[in-house]
Amino acid sequence: MADSLVMSSENSSIGDAVSGRGEGASNEDEDLYYIPERRPSLDLGPAPMDTSHWHFVDQALSPAESYGSLNSDDPEEKEDEEGSSTRVQLERAESFSSCYSIDSNDCEKIILREKSRDDTAEPSNKLELIQDPDEIKHPSLTLKFTFKSLCDTLKKLQMDEFSTFKWKLWTHYPQPFSGSQRMDIVDLVDRLLETFGCEKSVVITRTVLVIMSKNKLAEFLQTLCTKNEVRYELRTALKKKFAEELIMEGETMPLDDIYTDLCISSAADNGPNIEHEIMKIDKLNTKRTPDKLLSLAETLSQEMLNSCHARLMFLHGVAGSGKSMFIKKLVLDWALERSHQHFSFIFPLALRELKQFESSEISLEEIIWTLYPETKRLKIESLKGEDNALFIFDGLDEYTEAFDFTQTEILSDSSSRVSLNINLVNILRGRLLSSSMCLVTTRPQVNSFAPWDAHYDELEMCGFSDASKDEYFKKRFKDPNQAATVIQYVKSLKSLHIMCHLPLVCTLVADECQRIFTETRSVAKLPRSLTYMYTKLLLTLVRHLRKTRAPDVLSPEAEQNFLLELGKLAFTMLEKGQFKIASTDWPESIAEEAVVRSGLCTQYTITPYVLFYEDMVSFIHPTVQEYLAALYAYLTSRNQEKNIFDVKPKFSMYPKGHKIMDLYKAAMEKSLQSQDGKLDMFLRFLFGMACKTNQELLHPFLKSPAKAGDLTRDCVSLIKKVKEPSTSSNLQRCLEELEM
């Protein structure tokens, strides 16, 4: 009989124990046990005390156990004679940490009770944990993450299952969870964390779920923790990788210190920047209204993703427009938890890094594990739903193998081992990583990087605004005087200031100025030659940056032939006043080299008529076209001893000199005859190439050296003999190009 009563007591609730569960006893036991009547509520004021929020009332013993306790001789079981025998412990439901005791003999006296080690909810029926909490200690297991992951896990339980979960907790930890049946998920998780901390709360939750045969849910919680650890370690690796930016050989700066805001257009096909120092050029695209400009935070924001619905996005931009710098900043801000936190993972995959896998068969998953070993515990296929991942393929134009979207096998499994080409083709198809977001950066292409039926969106990198140009130089030069000098110098050369919309040009200018400041140890006079900076840009694009985009290195002869053919086209278009040409009229032999590899040209689409699309090709800026036209004239005269104007100069009074002087005389005549100034910049660049410093830079393209000093003096003499007020301004600029 006593055993049955004990079992009945264990299965009863706290409320039953407090209210007296004698009503459920049999009549034959009434003489054996005395069950007192329920005691009235304590009167703490005018109105009866609300006892609905009372907690931590110990479970009542069965009558048999109560009787045994009365006869106990153990002195430790006796109550403190100085205290009240009817002390009741109260606790606020809203705050588990507020613990007070109220003396029933003096209800107005509230005594703060300090928690002892015995109050830490050590259960009598101890729960055997499936894992030691110390084993899951990790810096990523923060209070915020643990709270969210426990809530997300418990939300997957049905209502009756959640009640069972709470009952299990109360069974093993009766003191902190005595009122658990009235708790919702937030209150319950809050109580768990407050009582046990992050690690033990996770292990307790998993253990109870396993006891309830909710193994998949316990595994779900474990997966959340594993992904969180991987995310933390990936962020650490990305911060280390992108925290510093190389600004000069052997010199780095923190990316945050040098990065300057870039302009990003919400759509592509805007054509090149056509702002010009002398001429007014009609816009080269056919858009009626300008596109919206986006900031870094707005690009790929949650709002943007909700409106576009595409899982593949291309970020186009001409050479040197800042695409890679933008990607580095986006990844760093994600790693530092500044922006784009709606992405659970970001994987930046530069194509120049992927080239190491070209000769082998490898899965996309293994590629990521190789580049980021911290992610080896992560399954790429599991990144679905709330685990929104962003894969960034930076510099797709650096991949030289062709994409065949019709014959290449279809692949949707990221763990299958295939060639790198098959992986990339299926990513662009939208078959691979279909549940994730993919951002692809590339220069404008001659051949499309996406199949005709692919669903994707496009953005375009436009480079720096005028304000960003100044900000860049202020960040690059820590000395305010040097920064002010460089800004003033750039603004004094209007064409150079316009070209600084390309971050690459800003970098070249800053490098040159910093070299001069370092060598002179003072604020020195900066070069006035515009041709010098354009020649540096040409060498950077054609020689340095081309190496990563072409399988072969052009021989000196092939390089000269390419520049001559491109320059001839530039000169022909310049004479006609053209700054764009249909791609069908573009020489096929140099299309790929000019647009993709060297990056001197760009391709975009216009819509001159409704439902009629036409691909156009332009130089990345009109002044680049004028420079290449001048280079064509200069190299033709120096290497082939030909005058591209093929006429006798009008000014026969000029002194005889080098054969190349015939070119300069003819060019000056043409420029003076031009009323719209279309040859003014051409003439300025042509004279600039006669300067000694520029001839040294152009030396790789010349077949035979010439006496630079003689050529410079003859050009100066030629300019000074012309006295026409209408052209005095441009001729003065020509003298500056000669450093005179």
Side-chain angles (χ1 to χ4, degrees):
M1 179 68 67
D3 292 339
S4 64
L5 289 171
V6 171
M7 292 178 63
S8 174
S9 174
E10 290 178 351
N11 293 330
S12 63
S13 66
I14 295 177
D16 294 332
V18 174
S19 62
R21 58 189 179 282
E23 296 174 4
S26 62
N27 294 331
E28 63 181 1
D29 295 333
E30 291 180 355
D31 297 333
L32 182 62
Y33 300 109
Y34 168 71
I35 301 175
E37 296 181 0
R38 181 173 179 177
R39 181 176 177 176
S41 301
L42 294 176
D43 186 7
L44 298 182
M49 176 180 291
D50 181 11
T51 61
S52 62
H53 63 280
W54 287 15
H55 301 289
F56 294 84
V57 179
D58 293 335
Q59 184 176 3
L61 297 173
S62 67
E65 290 175 321
S66 301
Y67 180 80
S69 65
L70 294 175
N71 296 294
S72 174
D73 295 330
D74 191 347
E76 294 182 0
E77 296 181 4
K78 295 181 179 180
E79 293 182 352
D80 187 357
E81 295 179 358
E82 297 179 1
S84 171
S85 61
T86 58
R87 177 167 296 177
V88 181
Q89 296 179 352
L90 300 179
E91 175 113 1
R92 287 189 53 165
E94 293 81 6
S95 177
F96 176 70
S97 60
S98 302
C99 298
Y100 297 93
S101 64
I102 297 181
D103 196 328
S104 62
N105 295 328
D106 186 4
C107 294
E108 295 181 357
K109 182 179 180 183
I110 300 178
I111 306 170
L112 179 65
R113 178 175 63 84
E114 295 184 0
K115 281 190 175 183
S116 64
R117 186 173 295 273
D118 296 334
D119 296 328
T120 56
E122 192 66 32
S124 57
N125 183 18
K126 189 173 182 181
L127 181 67
E128 293 185 9
L129 302 179
I130 60 176
Q131 188 178 14
D132 185 353
D134 291 336
E135 295 179 6
I136 66 170
K137 279 188 176 180
H138 195 274
S140 65
L141 198 62
T142 61
L143 184 63
K144 179 180 178 181
F145 166 77
T146 309
F147 181 85
K148 185 178 184 303
S149 60
L150 291 178
C151 287
D152 290 345
T153 302
L154 296 180
K155 284 178 183 177
K156 295 181 178 295
L157 292 172
Q158 299 294 330
M159 188 176 296
D160 58 335
E161 293 172 340
F162 182 56
S163 297
T164 303
F165 181 87
K166 292 188 288 186
W167 184 83
K168 293 286 186 183
L169 281 179
W170 172 77
T171 301
H172 296 286
Y173 303 99
Q175 188 172 355
F177 298 103
S178 59
S180 61
Q181 290 302 323
R182 291 189 301 275
M183 294 182 184
D184 59 11
I185 292 177
V186 173
D187 291 336
L188 187 71
V189 173
D190 187 49
R191 182 63 56 82
L192 265 171
L193 293 173
E194 194 172 9
T195 307
F196 301 109
C198 295
E199 292 82 4
K200 192 170 183 180
S201 295
V202 171
V203 177
I204 287 175
T205 302
R206 288 178 51 215
T207 303
V208 174
L209 290 173
V210 170
I211 292 174
M212 294 172 57
S213 299
K214 291 291 180 180
N215 295 325
K216 288 187 177 180
L217 205 52
E219 186 180 346
F220 170 77
L221 179 57
Q222 177 62 37
T223 302
L224 288 180
C225 294
T226 300
K227 289 180 178 178
N228 188 50
E229 293 176 8
V230 172
R231 184 184 303 110
Y232 178 88
E233 293 166 6
L234 177 62
R235 279 188 167 130
T236 302
L238 293 177
K239 283 186 281 188
K240 184 177 180 181
K241 182 176 183 179
F242 295 110
E244 298 287 327
E245 176 68 13
L246 181 66
I247 57 173
M248 287 187 70
E249 188 174 353
E251 184 178 351
T252 61
M253 282 184 68
L255 181 60
D256 284 337
D257 293 348
I258 193 63
Y259 178 81
T260 309
D261 291 336
L262 293 156
C263 297
I264 303 166
S265 174
S266 59
D269 295 323
N270 295 290
N273 182 351
I274 56 173
E275 186 181 359
H276 198 273
E277 178 179 346
I278 298 173
M279 294 183 292
K280 183 178 180 180
I281 302 173
D282 295 333
K283 69 173 188 175
L284 303 182
N285 61 48
T286 55
K287 295 187 175 182
R288 296 184 178 181
T289 57
D291 297 317
K292 180 183 177 183
L293 293 181
L294 306 174
S295 65
L296 185 146
E298 292 173 326
T299 306
L300 295 179
S301 63
Q302 185 65 65
E303 181 182 358
M304 181 179 179
L305 297 181
N306 291 340
S307 61
C308 72
H309 304 296
R311 307 301 297 177
L312 176 63
M313 185 168 292
F314 286 95
L315 176 60
H316 300 284
V318 300
S321 58
K323 300 181 295 296
S324 294
M325 179 73 77
F326 172 81
I327 294 301
K328 291 177 183 178
K329 178 62 174 175
L330 187 151
V331 173
L332 182 62
D333 281 358
W334 176 83
L336 293 172
E337 300 185 52
R338 294 172 179 165
S339 65
H340 296 87
Q341 294 307 295
H342 50 284
F343 290 115
S344 299
F345 297 91
I346 291 184
F347 301 98
L349 306 169
L351 265 293
R352 64 185 62 180
E353 293 179 333
L354 298 184
K355 286 184 178 181
Q356 60 182 296
F357 307 112
E358 283 184 320
S359 59
S360 60
E361 289 194 346
I362 188 170
S363 68
L364 179 62
E365 198 169 54
E366 290 173 324
I367 290 175
I368 294 173
W369 291 347
T370 303
L371 296 178
Y372 300 103
E374 304 82 9
T375 64
K376 286 188 175 179
R377 292 184 293 163
L378 190 67
K379 294 292 184 183
I380 303 303
E381 288 296 324
S382 68
L383 300 180
K384 299 177 180 178
E386 294 183 0
D387 290 323
N388 193 15
L390 172 62
F391 293 83
I392 303 177
F393 297 90
D394 184 26
L396 192 61
D397 51 286
E398 297 183 19
Y399 185 72
T400 56
E401 194 173 341
F403 294 130
D404 187 350
F405 295 108
T406 58
Q407 300 297 326
T408 305
E409 66 177 275
I410 295 176
L411 178 70
S412 58
D413 184 6
S414 61
S415 61
S416 297
R417 289 191 169 190
V418 292
S419 66
L420 177 63
N421 184 272
I422 294 177
N423 276 307
L424 292 176
V425 166
N426 282 280
I427 289 170
L428 297 173
R429 279 174 172 166
R431 298 279 186 163
L432 201 56
L433 303 178
S434 58
S435 300
S436 301
M437 187 72 195
C438 293
L439 175 63
V440 179
T441 71
T442 177
R443 292 178 179 178
Q445 295 297 306
V446 175
N447 301 311
S448 176
F449 270 162
W452 66 271
D453 58 344
H455 181 44
Y456 60 88
D457 281 324
E458 294 178 295
L459 303 173
E460 186 166 339
M461 182 65 68
C462 302
F464 285 154
S465 64
D466 286 347
S468 296
K469 298 172 189 177
D470 294 350
E471 185 183 354
Y472 173 83
F473 292 118
K474 290 177 182 178
K475 289 185 173 183
R476 176 68 185 269
F477 296 93
K478 297 303 181 183
D479 185 342
N481 294 328
Q482 290 183 350
T485 301
V486 174
I487 293 172
Q488 184 179 4
Y489 160 70
V490 171
K491 288 184 176 180
S492 67
L493 300 173
K494 188 172 181 180
S495 290
L496 183 60
H497 185 254
I498 294 171
M499 278 299 291
C500 279
H501 76 280
L502 296 177
L504 175 60
V505 176
C506 286
T507 302
L508 294 176
V509 171
D511 290 348
E512 183 64 22
C513 293
Q514 188 167 342
R515 180 187 64 81
I516 294 174
F517 292 150
T518 303
E519 291 178 355
T520 59
R521 301 288 180 182
S522 63
V523 180
K525 184 179 179 181
L526 299 177
R528 300 292 303 172
S529 175
L530 183 66
T531 311
Y532 178 77
M533 296 310 306
Y534 274 72
T535 305
K536 298 268 285 188
L537 175 63
L538 174 71
L539 293 174
T540 302
L541 292 175
V542 173
R543 294 204 155 187
H544 178 64
L545 298 181
R546 185 190 181 279
K547 292 179 181 178
T548 60
R549 291 168 174 82
D552 58 334
V553 178
L554 287 178
S555 64
E557 184 178 358
E559 193 174 54
Q560 289 176 25
N561 292 336
F562 164 68
L563 291 176
L564 286 173
E565 189 172 358
L566 186 61
K568 182 178 181 180
L569 180 62
F571 180 73
T572 302
M573 292 172 61
L574 186 61
E575 280 194 312
K576 296 177 181 179
Q578 289 182 330
F579 295 94
K580 66 179 179 181
I581 187 174
S583 60
T584 53
D585 298 330
W586 190 269
E588 189 176 350
S589 59
I590 61 171
E592 187 78 14
E593 185 67 40
V595 176
V596 181
R597 295 176 183 175
S598 69
L600 292 167
C601 299
T602 181
Q603 181 168 312
Y604 56 99
T605 303
I606 64 172
T607 312
Y609 312 107
V610 177
L611 298 178
F612 179 78
Y613 302 94
E614 187 175 12
D615 290 333
M616 307 300 293
V617 179
S618 298
F619 292 87
I620 59 175
H621 191 265
T623 54
V624 173
Q625 177 180 339
E626 293 164 322
Y627 173 85
L628 289 171
L631 181 64
Y632 160 68
Y634 181 76
L635 294 181
T636 301
S637 179
R638 287 290 304 270
N639 294 339
Q640 303 175 15
E641 296 186 354
K642 291 181 181 179
N643 185 348
I644 62 170
F645 295 103
D646 196 26
V647 293
K648 271 192 173 183
K650 177 181 178 181
F651 307 100
S652 59
M653 74 288 296
Y654 296 150
K656 293 183 179 180
H658 305 293
K659 289 184 178 181
I660 196 173
M661 290 308 299
D662 293 337
L663 169 67
Y664 283 96
K665 294 172 186 178
M668 184 174 290
E669 178 184 342
K670 286 284 187 180
S671 179
L672 293 176
Q673 292 174 352
S674 176
Q675 299 299 320
D676 54 5
K678 65 183 180 183
L679 292 179
D680 285 2
M681 290 301 299
F682 166 83
L683 186 66
R684 194 184 301 180
F685 286 128
L686 187 60
F687 275 111
M689 292 173 188
C691 180
K692 180 180 178 181
T693 54
N694 291 325
Q695 288 189 60
E696 291 174 354
L697 290 177
L698 293 171
H699 177 71
F701 307 127
L702 301 176
K703 290 185 177 180
S704 60
K707 294 182 180 179
D710 294 342
L711 180 58
T712 304
R713 284 193 298 270
D714 289 344
C715 287
V716 172
S717 177
L718 177 63
I719 293 173
K720 289 184 176 180
K721 287 185 178 294
V722 178
K723 296 180 180 179
E724 294 199 23
S726 61
T727 60
S728 60
S729 176
N730 192 56
L731 292 179
Q732 181 59 38
R733 292 288 190 179
C734 292
L735 287 174
E736 291 178 358
E737 292 297 323
L738 290 164
E739 298 182 355
M740 292 293 174

